């Protein structure tokens, strides 16, 4: 029988469950695999889905399952996308709705994995949510057939459509023949009155394609917001595909010629998460970076009209009392928690994705996730995190091996710290004006090295940090600045920004700004290398640390490859982009 959910039109029979692997035949109909349910349900604010012109600051229950009909390189949620239905306990729609009501959410939203792979499940969820007066929506690649879309459009209130690009080539790289059904569907949803926002990935070299997307969206309606997702290379994607924040900002300026509202994500410190009046350019509301694909309003957006008379198209009312997510919660941030567990499992030699899902299930209750969130912020507490994961994975000896490696190096840096001269250090992410939270691991690495983190003076918190003024940096005058290894910035762009913002701290004058290597300071056990990197930079010429030798030992012992052969990207668990590991037939992603 042919599945009619999406344009692939797979044949489903006793041997085939379709491309997304989540459907089966039951007599003469196709149904959702009975093992299918939602793997998680957490309250989040709508700007983390992200939707920026819909019930601003509203609290929604985010749900996710497994399966996807696309296969995109570098997918942030690849593990969820690639996994098959779970023969484990999951949430059914009625339980999700109950949770949404209990937690005072405005509605439910399916994210992270593709709802086309969970269509019947999602349809039931939307129906039951609406019966209870809740809103329902999703993030989707929108490759549905016309027939499915017409039905779905009557059930959902809002959608964020993730567009891969304009050209068929951009879709072919996800194993999909054409972009045409996606634009057809956006147009139809808009006509049906569904609130639609679009997101498009900008990876280095696809500028023309992104501009063409803006033109196509504009043809449907220039009022549809276009969210530009600066590509962060996870999975096997090479780091060369990552555009700098500066390059992404410049592309956004071009897109504004076509559509009224362009937003830039994955770019800490950017002003392009704000809403500006399309008529006169006045600032209407401010937002800041809030983790991958996420944003947060700096203050409630209550007036949707500009002084010049122009009204911004926003659906729904603003929730004035902002909801703050705990720990890892908030849109795609949960996928980073997955990445952190994956990072440890890889070092324990576990490369089977299904073991990750098993371990995840054991720690995914909100209480344990909160404990984990604390463990990963302090060097010694991280050892408890390794022990926890090793125990859940039934690999205690391998866990102790990793702990022993880290502990030995911690002692080494501790000895150095005792004779340190208390340098003042500032730690930022992507921009000089985006400061990492005081309690973050990166700042704790600085204090562990015996130095003073000026970030500890911050009186506010975000995820993973907050926008600060140049005054804050100049006032505290750091001797050294580190740029996070997760979201970075080329040094020439960084120095130029310091000049532009009037940042004249000693670190800038003495050229003591360093970009920490990818994933060497947070999320992956490789932070121990980052700690040694920091200690080495703060004790120039006399740290006694041979960083290359240490990195080589770590990579050989825990990844089975020499450091010099690695071409890292932003993945927490993979030591290198491209094909890895060579001695295993199965390639892991995420
Ligand atoms: S939803 Fe899945 S099974 Fe159905 S046509 Fe699409 S890829 Fe194939």
């Amino acid at each position: 029988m042919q599945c009619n959910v999406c344009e692939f039109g797979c044949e489903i029979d006793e041997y085939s469950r379709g491309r997304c692997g989540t459907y089966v035949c039951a007599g003469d109909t196709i149904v959702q695999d009975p093992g299918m349910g939602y793997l998680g349900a957490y309250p989040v604010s709508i700007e983390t889905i992200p939707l920026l012109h819909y019930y601003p600051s509203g609290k929604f229950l985010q749900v996710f399952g497994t399966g996807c009909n696309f296969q995109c390189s570098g997918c942030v949620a690849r593990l969820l996308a690639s996994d098959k239905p779970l023969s484990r306990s999951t949430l059914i729609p009625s339980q999700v709705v109950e949770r949404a009501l209990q937690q005072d959410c405005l509605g439910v939203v399916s994210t992270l994995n593709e709802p086309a792979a969970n269509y019947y499940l999602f349809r039931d969820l939307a129906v039951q949510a609406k019966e209870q007066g809740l809103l329902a929506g999703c993030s989707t690649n929108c490759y549905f057939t016309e027939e499915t879309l017409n039905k779905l459009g009557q059930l959902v209130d809002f959608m964020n459509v993730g567009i891969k690009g304009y050209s068929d080539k951009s879709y072919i790289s996800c194993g999909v023949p054409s972009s045409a059904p996606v634009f057809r569907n956006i147009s139809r949803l808009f006509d049906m009155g569904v609130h639609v926002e679009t997101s498009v990935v900008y990876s280095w070299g696809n500028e023309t394609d992104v501009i063409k997307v803006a033109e196509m969206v504009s043809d449907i309606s220039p009022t549809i917001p276009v969210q530009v997702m600066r590509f962060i290379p996870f999975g096997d994607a090479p780091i060369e595909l990552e555009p700098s924040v500066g390059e992404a900002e410049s592309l956004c300026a071009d897109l504004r010629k076509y559509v009224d509202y362009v937003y830039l994500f994955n770019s800490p410190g950017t002003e392009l998460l704000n809403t500006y009046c399309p008529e006169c350019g006045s600032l209407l509301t401010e937002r800041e970076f809030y983790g991958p694909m996420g944003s947060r309003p700096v203050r409630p957006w209550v007036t949707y009209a500009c002084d010049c008379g122009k009204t911004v198209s926003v659906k729904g009312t603003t929730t004035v009392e902002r909801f703050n997510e705990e720990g890892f919660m908030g849109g795609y941030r949960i996928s980073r928690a997955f990445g952190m567990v994956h990072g440890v499992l890889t070092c324990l030699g576990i490369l089977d994705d299904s073991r990750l899902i098993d371990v995840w299930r054991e720690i995914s209750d909100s209480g344990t996730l909160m404990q984990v969130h604390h463990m990963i912020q302090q060097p010694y507490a991280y050892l408890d995190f390794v022990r926890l994961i090793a125990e859940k994975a039934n690999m205690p000896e391998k866990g102790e091996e990793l702990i022993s490696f880290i502990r030995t190096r911690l002692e080494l840096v501790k000895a150095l710290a005792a004779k340190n001269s208390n340098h003042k250090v500032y730690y930022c992410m992507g921009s000089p004006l985006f400061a990492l939270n005081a309690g973050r691991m990166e700042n704790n690495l600085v204090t562990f090295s015996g130095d003073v983190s000026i970030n500890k003076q911050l009186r506010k918190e975000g995820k993973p940090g907050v926008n600060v003024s140049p005054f804050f940096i100049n006032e505290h005058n750091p001797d050294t600045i580190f740029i996070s290894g997760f979201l970075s910035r080329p040094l020439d762009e960084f120095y130029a920004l310091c000049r532009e913002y009037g940042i004249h701290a000693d670190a800038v004058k003495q050229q003591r700004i360093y970009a920490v290597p990818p994933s060497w300071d947070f999320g992956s056990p490789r932070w121990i290398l980052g700690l040694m990197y920091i200690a080495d930079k703060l004790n120039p010429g006399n740290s006694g640390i041979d960083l290359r030798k240490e990195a080589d030992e770590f990579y050989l012992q825990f990844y089975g490859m020499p450091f010099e052969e690695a071409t890292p990207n932003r993945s927490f668990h993979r030591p290198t982009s491209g094909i890895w590991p060579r001695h295993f037939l199965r390639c892991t992603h995420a």
Side-chain angles (χ1 to χ4, degrees), residues 8-253:
F8 282 109
C10 306
E11 277 299 320
I12 311 281
D13 55 33
E14 57 186 307
Y15 306 108
S16 168
R17 298 149 60 93
R19 181 183 161 98
C20 58
T22 55
Y23 294 97
V24 290
C25 271
D28 58 358
T29 47
I30 293 174
V31 296
Q32 199 80 64
D33 185 295
M36 204 85 218
Y38 287 111
L39 187 58
Y42 306 102
V44 300
S45 45
I46 194 79
E47 286 83 3
T48 70
I49 296 305
L51 287 157
L52 303 188
H53 288 218
Y54 192 71
Y55 287 86
S57 305
K59 179 176 161 189
F60 285 72
L61 195 72
Q62 170 192 35
V63 293
F64 56 88
T66 55
C68 187
N69 49 354
F70 283 20
Q71 291 152 0
C72 310
S73 170
C75 171
V76 67
R78 183 70 210 156
L79 199 88
L80 290 175
S82 62
D83 203 62
K84 299 295 176 273
L86 307 159
S87 54
R88 315 164 176 98
S89 62
T90 49
L91 294 164
I92 58 171
S94 60
Q95 291 169 313
V96 172
V97 170
E98 200 183 318
R99 249 189 223 197
L101 291 169
Q102 275 167 0
Q103 305 200 29
D104 291 327
C105 295
L106 294 174
V108 293
V109 54
S110 160
T111 60
L112 293 173
N113 80 305
E114 170 55 40
N118 315 145
Y119 176 66
Y120 298 112
L121 187 71
F122 179 60
R123 186 191 62 182
D124 292 350
L125 174 63
V127 168
Q128 292 182 35
K130 293 179 84 66
E131 280 170 4
Q132 296 297 324
L134 295 168
L135 298 161
C138 61
S139 290
T140 172
N141 57 41
C142 219
Y143 204 61
F144 299 107
T145 58
E146 278 181 282
E147 190 187 328
T148 306
L149 190 91
N150 283 332
K151 288 182 195 151
L152 195 59
Q154 292 169 34
L155 294 175
V156 296
D157 302 287
F158 60 92
M159 275 196 195
N160 182 325
V161 179
I163 305 172
K164 306 300 169 194
Y166 167 72
S167 64
D168 289 344
K169 189 168 154 246
S170 59
Y171 273 79
I172 286 166
S173 65
C174 290
V176 183
S178 165
S179 66
V182 178
F183 291 105
R184 175 200 71 203
N185 288 347
I186 295 172
S187 178
R188 177 77 186 119
L189 286 167
F190 186 79
D191 290 344
M192 290 174 88
V194 174
H195 176 81
V196 184
E197 299 193 20
T198 56
S199 56
V200 58
V201 175
Y202 167 36
S203 53
W204 203 85
N206 78 338
E207 294 80 3
T208 317
D209 217 45
V210 175
I211 291 171
K212 198 74 188 138
V213 165
E215 274 184 71
M216 291 293 288
V217 171
S218 171
D219 284 348
I220 299 166
S221 169
T223 63
I224 296 177
V226 173
Q227 305 166 353
V228 176
M229 300 294 165
R230 190 176 69 94
F231 183 63
I232 312 175
F234 295 123
D236 54 1
I239 205 158
E240 290 73 25
L241 289 181
E242 178 185 302
S244 72
V245 176
E247 288 166 334
E249 285 174 334
S250 141
L251 178 64
C252 287

Side-chain angles (χ1 to χ4, degrees), residues 406-436:
I406 297 176
R407 196 189 291 281
T408 317
R409 275 70 184 178
L410 283 175
E411 297 305 318
L412 194 145
V413 175
K414 207 187 210 177
L416 262 180
K419 42 184 175 159
N420 220 340
S421 54
N422 286 327
H423 292 276
K424 280 194 285 178
V425 177
Y426 174 54
Y427 221 120
C428 59
M429 185 182 261
S431 156
L433 299 186
F434 192 82
L436 288 172

Side-chain angles (χ1 to χ4, degrees), residues 540-577:
N542 63 357
S543 73
I545 294 172
D546 183 341
L547 205 57
R548 184 155 282 275
K549 180 172 153 283
E550 293 290 350
D552 218 31
E553 269 182 45
F554 187 93
Y555 276 63
L556 280 169
Q557 191 170 342
F558 299 108
Y559 300 132
M561 70 182 298
F563 172 61
E564 61 181 15
E565 285 183 19
T567 52
N569 59 14
R570 306 287 175 196
S571 167
F572 288 163
H573 84 280
R574 272 175 150 258
T576 185
S577 55

